[in-house]
Amino acid sequence: MPYRVCFVCTGNICRSPMAESVFRTRVAEAGLDGLVEVDSAGTDGWHEGDGADPRTVSVLEANGYRSGHAARRFRSDWFSRLDLVIALDAGHLTALRRLAPNPADAEKVRLLRSYDLAAGADLDVPDPYYGGMDGFEECLEMVEAASPGLLAAVREQVEGLAA
């Protein structure tokens, strides 16, 4: 059974699809395809069925990532099939932990930037939606910076399952 990771932001059109795309690429590069499944969702359903924001797509493609995506809303019954739920900011962390059906599921929720040792105290990935392209580029930089630490943690779990 694969190890399942879901990235979550508000509308699932900017930050979480970007994190999904970057992390899926890192998983493939690490040879963990088939062992790790990666997807994303939003805490709210405003954009369900929509593709990623065109600025997200542009930044991803300019940096060599694939960007196929359709927004969806995170549901509490998903916790039972997920191993790790990655929140993009503290508001998402709080909302997801409240949505968790039990304490064990709430413990599955982590902030993305907690995997970036250089992140400091501010672990939020700012929402780029209302800004310009520089916000989307900054978002990608933060996602990429946290990806090695997240990949190491996931690899440790996957190897522990295989043992």
Side-chain angles (χ1 to χ4, degrees), residues 3-159:
Y3 188 87
R4 292 181 174 96
V5 180
C6 184
F7 293 92
V8 182
C9 69
T10 305
N12 194 215
I13 61 168
C14 298
R15 294 172 282 180
S16 58
M18 189 177 290
E20 174 188 358
S21 180
V22 169
F23 196 64
R24 183 175 285 124
T25 298
R26 296 298 176 261
V27 164
E29 290 169 351
L32 297 174
D33 270 351
L35 299 174
V36 179
E37 289 183 5
V38 182
D39 62 14
S40 66
T43 56
D44 296 308
W46 304 323
H47 300 285
E48 281 186 284
D50 293 347
D53 185 292
R55 297 165 294 179
T56 297
V57 173
S58 176
V59 168
L60 284 171
E61 289 179 352
N63 287 277
Y65 298 104
R66 291 188 11 214
S67 60
H69 177 74
R72 60 198 186 132
R73 185 176 190 168
F74 190 90
R75 296 174 28 160
S76 66
D77 62 336
W78 294 358
F79 276 105
S80 64
R81 65 175 176 83
L82 294 169
D83 298 291
L84 189 59
V85 180
I86 302 294
L88 276 290
D89 71 28
H92 307 131
L93 180 80
T94 300
L96 288 162
R97 286 189 172 161
R98 280 191 195 132
L99 192 60
N102 57 58
D105 285 333
E107 285 299 314
K108 294 177 182 180
V109 184
R110 299 277 186 264
L111 281 167
L112 174 64
R113 293 192 70 211
S114 68
Y115 294 95
D116 179 0
L117 298 178
D122 183 5
L123 299 180
D124 286 355
V125 176
D127 188 352
Y129 186 76
Y130 294 103
M133 285 300 290
D134 57 333
F136 287 83
E137 291 163 358
E138 178 186 29
C139 180
L140 179 62
E141 289 171 12
M142 290 178 173
V143 167
E144 288 179 327
S147 290
L150 176 58
L151 183 63
V154 167
R155 181 189 302 271
E156 183 178 308
Q157 292 298 312
V158 169
E159 289 173 355

